[in-house]
Amino acid sequence: MNTMTVPGWLHKKPGKRTIQIGLILTLFFQLSVLSIEYLGSVLPIWTGEEIILKTEPVDPRSLFRGNFVRLNYEINRIPTEPQTEFKMGSLIYVSLVEINGIWQFDTFNTAKPKMGTYIRGRVRRVDSGTVRVEYGIEAFFMPKEKALKVQNEMGGQAQVRVFVAPNGKARAVGFKCLGDACL
Amino acid sequence: MRLIQLFKKELSHEARTWVRDELVSEQQANSILARYGTSLNDDTDKNSFGYYLLMSLGVLFIGLALILIVSHNWDEIPRSIRTGSLLLLTLVTNAVGIKLFLSKRIRAGIIWLLFGGMSYGASIMLIAQIYHLGEHFPDGIFWWALGILPLVVFTQSRLLALLSLSLASIWLVVESGEDFFPTLYPIFISVTLWLTLFQARSRLLFLSCVVGLLVWINLGLAWIMGSGYHFDPVAEQLPFSLGLGLIINGVAWWLMRADKSDWREYGLVVHIWLLRAAIITLLVFSFEGVWEEYPSDQSWLSVISVIFILVSGMLAFRLSRASGRYASLPTLMLTGYLTFSFYLVSAFSHMEFISAIATNLMLLLMGILLIRRGIDQSETHYFYTGIVVLLLTAFIRYFDLIGDYIGGAVLFLVAAGILMAAAKYWKHHVTLIALKQGGHSE
């Protein structure tokens, strides 16, 4: 038979007081996670500037979150020098310029710009000459019928209202009406 | 350790019928059952367990229904009300669970905490939906699993551990699917291992931890190969996985000699599953084409991987040696075979043929050893596994000839020779035993 000395604390059952405090702290932790998620969601809307971005909707379904349209923005693919190296998931700031009411790519930087309108994203894929950046506004949740309507009636012409916070975090809030397609 | 240990509940049930039929006394039955780490009273609360299990499954279904309901997009209800309702539901269900648990209504408390955990997860997903969060969605699953993990520590509930580990494993899959390395997965493995080793027995959770850890280490190797930016699994990773298998088998034998009956059971379960995995792996390697996929260049990685097999084998041998020849002999055989085959294929070109033959001979030896073990230890499981290994090897080789008809025939003849030699040795061995017993009786 093997005999092994195991530290006592591994066998020890926590006392009633520890369990009581631990369970309450766990509940507090869960509520904190939800509150931080909520605040992170609404802060760009409360404090940000509204811009319009051009996008193309497609229609997948999320296993956990229900139906949504996936939005492919023009600024999701940004041109780079072929030799430029990016780390996957690294932060990138894309400065935007308004042309005829639509905000478009101007320049990008790995440091936060001092001025102008910019949006914060993360590098998701690096190809030769382009880099794919995601900004957290690529999914728009809605019932299936509405999602299909957006996809069919707006096609590649959809425009999305986005709020951009001073730190560059963005939140999509809705589609801009285009002809009959109005949601 | 005997396989019967895995059927102690059934044994306990049988023993109750022996006592009822007055074949043995209650004390005798308990003495017999004590040898297997159980007693006559071991399974008496099975009705309450059935109730607990069905209630838990009911809660799981309610949770899934909740996720689907919130996924419907209730546009007409203001966002703040939807968010507030979910937060309130999480608060209330968990609070009820905590209250019941602290007032010693343990099972009811855990069922409510399970419901609370489902509400918490649904809330994470719903807030993401309400505010159209397109951010890296595996994060939501990670925070869900992490939010339940402390409950496992404080309640020591296997049900909550199962939920937490399942969520963490889903996160492992989706996170790596999105090309990110699930660095924090071992936290979930550590807590679950602590629970199963020191607090509550669960073969399912223990085995899941072993599998999860193997997957995570393999992902880690692929991540390192991709320079820490993406997953780049390479063929040289295979010997590392096989080496890990050898080490875990050594640990399984070590566990089978432990003082705690729970640990002995874990060791046995892991050993049985590793045995099955080893047979399947050997059957796959018995094809020449599989070896052709392995790179035949002596790179630093292939050299390290062969050394790793050797070191793992030595470690496994050290851990299993005290359990007898059926523990140490297969370890030595497998280590020798794997080192030889992988070295041959990586160091010389066109050696796939030899490695495939070595694998087939290894299958034969494994089959013979299993039959022998089955008879020696009176364990039909090993006996029939050995028979199946030999028949499968013959079947596969008949349809997939190595070295054309003549080569295939030679291989079958060598196999027949080995089998017959084993049979002759066996007969000789049995005669020797009979002679010894005769000598003793005289």
Side-chain angles (χ1 to χ4, degrees), chain B residues 251-384:
Chain B
V251 173
W253 279 109
W254 181 81
L255 282 172
M256 277 190 265
R257 299 194 305 272
D259 289 331
K260 282 185 80 173
S261 67
D262 299 0
W263 290 24
R264 291 202 296 272
E265 266 185 51
Y266 294 154
L268 185 59
V269 171
V270 170
H271 168 66
I272 287 171
W273 280 100
L274 277 173
L275 178 67
R276 290 165 186 166
I279 291 166
I280 293 167
T281 309
L282 284 174
L283 286 170
V284 172
F285 282 169
S286 71
F287 291 89
E288 199 179 340
V290 174
W291 289 101
E292 282 166 7
E293 300 287 318
Y294 194 75
S296 60
D297 57 326
Q298 208 167 4
S299 63
W300 64 270
L301 198 58
S302 57
V303 173
I304 290 176
S305 55
V306 170
I307 293 171
F308 185 75
I309 289 180
L310 204 58
V311 173
S312 307
M314 284 159 63
L315 186 62
F317 177 72
R318 200 178 149 74
L319 287 165
S320 58
R321 193 174 48 183
S323 298
R325 62 180 167 174
Y326 291 120
S328 56
L329 196 58
T331 306
L332 281 180
M333 276 165 41
L334 277 169
T335 308
Y337 148 75
L338 289 171
T339 311
F340 168 76
S341 301
F342 279 103
Y343 173 71
L344 209 63
V345 173
S346 58
F348 306 98
S349 49
H350 310 300
M351 284 291 154
E352 298 82 14
F353 176 74
I354 307 287
S355 292
I357 296 229
T359 312
N360 282 280
L361 294 177
M362 188 66 213
L363 275 164
L364 274 180
L365 291 176
M366 190 107 160
I368 293 168
L369 209 63
L370 281 168
I371 292 174
R372 190 77 217 268
R373 183 180 174 187
I375 293 176
D376 268 5
Q377 300 180 342
S378 305
E379 301 269 16
T380 49
H381 171 79
Y382 298 121
F383 178 80
Y384 287 114

Side-chain angles (χ1 to χ4, degrees), chain A residues 1-4 6-27 29-35 37-42 45 61-68 70 85-90 120 122-125 134-146 169-174, chain B residues 67-68 70-73 75 79-80 83 86-87 90-91 94-95 97-98 101-102 104 113 116-117 119-120 123-137 141 143-144 146-151 153-156 167 170 177-180 194 197-200 223 228-230 253-260 263-264:
Chain A
M1 291 281 173
N2 297 327
T3 49
M4 190 175 75
V6 178
W9 59 269
L10 283 170
H11 285 288
K12 200 178 166 188
K13 293 200 182 292
K16 195 183 172 184
R17 186 83 182 144
T18 314
I19 293 173
Q20 202 172 13
I21 295 167
L23 288 176
I24 290 165
L25 283 178
T26 307
L27 178 56
F29 173 75
Q30 288 188 3
L31 293 174
S32 303
V33 169
L34 296 177
S35 305
E37 186 189 12
Y38 169 72
L39 288 174
S41 307
V42 294
I45 301 171
R61 180 180 182 275
S62 166
L63 186 63
F64 289 106
R65 296 175 294 178
N67 294 304
F68 68 96
R70 180 169 288 283
E85 284 193 2
F86 292 95
K87 192 178 173 187
M88 280 282 290
S90 60
R120 192 178 80 169
R122 284 191 186 274
V123 174
R124 288 297 287 125
R125 199 173 61 240
E134 289 187 357
Y135 305 93
I137 50 173
E138 285 76 17
F140 201 90
F141 294 84
M142 53 178 63
K144 197 173 180 181
E145 303 74 41
K146 280 191 178 179
K169 276 194 87 171
R171 200 60 64 218
V173 291
Chain B
I67 292 175
L68 285 178
V70 298
S71 297
H72 178 71
N73 291 282
D75 276 359
R79 290 198 285 206
S80 53
T83 310
L86 261 290
L87 279 166
T90 305
L91 176 70
N94 275 300
I98 291 170
F101 188 85
L102 291 175
K104 300 286 177 201
L113 285 171
S119 308
Y120 167 63
S123 304
I124 291 177
M125 299 305 163
L126 181 68
I127 293 170
Q129 187 206 68
I130 292 171
Y131 294 99
H132 310 293
L133 303 189
E135 269 110 344
H136 189 62
F137 88 95
I141 305 169
W143 287 106
W144 186 358
L146 194 69
I148 295 166
L149 197 63
L151 295 177
V153 176
F154 295 115
T155 63
Q156 295 168 4
L167 287 168
I170 293 172
E178 294 271 316
D179 267 346
F180 286 95
W194 165 78
L197 286 172
F198 301 107
Q199 304 295 337
W223 187 249
Y229 288 103
H230 61 279
W253 279 109
W254 181 81
L255 282 172
M256 277 190 265
R257 299 194 305 272
D259 289 331
K260 282 185 80 173
W263 290 24
R264 291 202 296 272

